[in-house]
């Protein structure tokens, strides 16, 4: 079941470095891309930083609307996660092409990907120079939610492999997240 | 054995989102801190972006010298990774306090942590406004190396748990990286 994640805990959805799927929408068009270059930027209000290449259609939509959704895909979506990077949303609707089901977001226009395990709805913090020089975008998280089978009470609870987060290395090569490790209090 | 990683493959050391240890040095002082908020920013020349809080002594040293080393700790260093965040380097030498052995870097002054599994030597790309407003730092990677037991030929080859990367969630709670997943070519 999808449950809201308190905004001050939203950074924990990204803190362990998963690869994500970014959805965008503007003027009746929508798109989805994969991104591994993303990190939390602040706790409260929660912010994120991410890299989006100039050549992507997602960037056109993001700069037009100022909104994005960060969707966290589980291992079961590994083929779709690779595939969204191999075709351009300028030419066709990737959601239909790849069978990606969507749900409405709470606060922004881009859709949530139904088969993902966590979602961060974001509004751009415009940084024109940074975007131009380094393809670097800052955004504020305005709503967050997660599948309570894998994230609840501020922590990930990974069980079966199919629901574990993906961590991209290069090409079609990913790692899945593994077991919990508790550090000894110093 | 520590082997050089070609600069155009250096992003692959960070692409899967590990938590890192940052070493800094200036004017005869040195320090180490943990950072989970870090990501690649460009392929070639390789660049990174990371968040460093205003209150840290590491930031004082980084802003004085413009140099840092990103050390990637394996699971065997989980207690030290938590501990470096619980004491301040203003008051004592954390390396001595925590038994962290070091080696000389190739191109910068901050030391490499000997028991880590990969190292990125970096020079700051000054962004005064960004550093002030968002605690966000950009840096260029000028040398990279890795333990060839776990990273070789541009890929991670994780075996025993003790050598797997750590991925911080919150407090003393970490996840270790898991198994490889190959996506089907679309």
């Amino acid at each position: 079941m999808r449950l809201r994640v308190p905004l001050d805990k939203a950074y924990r959805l990204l803190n362990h470095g998963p690869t994500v799927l970014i959805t965008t929408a503007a003027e009746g068009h929508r798109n989805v891309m994969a991104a591994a270059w993303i990190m939390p930027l602040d706790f409260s209000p929660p912010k994120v930083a991410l890299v989006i290449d100039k050549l992507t259609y997602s960037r056109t939509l993001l700069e037009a609307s100022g909104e994005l959704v960060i969707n966290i895909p589980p291992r079961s979506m590994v083929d779709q996660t690779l595939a969204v990077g191999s075709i351009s949303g300028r030419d066709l609707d990737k959601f239909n092409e790849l069978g990606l089901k969507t749900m409405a977001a709470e606060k922004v226009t881009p859709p949530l990907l139904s088969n993902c395990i966590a979602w961060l709805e974001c509004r751009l913090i415009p940084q024109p120079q940074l975007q131009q020089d380094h393809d670097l975008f800052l955004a504020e998280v305005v709503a967050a939610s997660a599948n309570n089978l894998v994230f609840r009470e501020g922590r990930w609870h990974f069980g079966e492999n199919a629901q574990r987060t993906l961590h991209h290395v290069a090409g079609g090569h990913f790692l899945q997240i593994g077991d919990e490790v508790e550090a000894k209090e110093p």
Side-chain angles (χ1 to χ4, degrees), chain A:
Chain A
M1 185 166 54
R2 182 163 77 90
L3 290 184
R4 213 169 276 173
V5 172
L7 280 179
D8 66 349
K9 298 286 189 299
Y11 77 93
R12 296 187 183 183
L13 298 172
L14 292 176
N15 214 72
H16 72 298
T19 293
V20 305
L21 296 171
I22 304 291
T23 48
T24 45
E27 294 159 18
H29 295 272
R30 61 181 186 171
N31 201 24
V32 52
M33 64 174 278
W37 296 5
I38 182 165
M39 66 177 182
L41 179 65
D42 210 342
F43 292 105
S44 188
K47 294 174 192 156
V48 299
L50 72 164
V51 177
I52 300 183
D53 194 86
K54 284 184 186 60
L55 296 176
T56 62
Y57 185 52
S58 294
R59 178 147 166 179
T60 305
L61 298 180
L62 173 59
E63 291 187 323
S65 73
E67 296 182 340
L68 69 152
V69 174
I70 300 163
N71 304 266
I72 302 185
R75 176 183 168 146
S76 59
M77 290 179 72
V78 67
D79 294 340
Q80 289 166 316
T81 300
L82 181 65
V84 295
S86 69
I87 51 179
S88 172
R90 277 184 222 279
D91 309 322
L92 45 75
D93 183 288
K94 290 193 209 176
F95 301 84
N96 293 338
E97 191 72 17
L98 300 169
L100 290 166
K101 289 192 184 127
T102 62
M103 313 181 277
E106 191 186 339
K107 302 239 178 144
V108 299
T109 303
L112 311 184
L113 296 174
S114 306
N115 292 326
C116 281
I117 53 176
W119 304 267
L120 298 100
E121 305 179 20
C122 303
R123 289 211 181 90
L124 211 57
I125 301 167
Q127 295 275 349
Q129 200 65 46
L130 204 57
Q131 295 165 203
Q132 184 57 35
D133 293 351
H134 293 285
D135 297 339
L136 183 55
F137 289 76
L138 311 187
E140 181 174 337
V141 181
V142 294
S145 53
N147 181 329
N148 71 341
L149 289 176
V150 284
F151 188 91
R152 56 184 181 272
E153 289 153 17
R155 277 202 185 187
W156 290 101
H157 298 268
F158 293 114
E160 52 171 330
N161 285 341
Q163 292 295 300
R164 288 176 183 263
T165 50
L166 290 167
H167 299 252
H168 192 225
V169 180
H173 185 58
F174 294 79
L175 298 158
Q176 68 177 32
I177 199 64
D179 295 337
E180 297 180 18
V181 186
E182 293 296 329
K184 215 164 33 191
E185 286 302 324

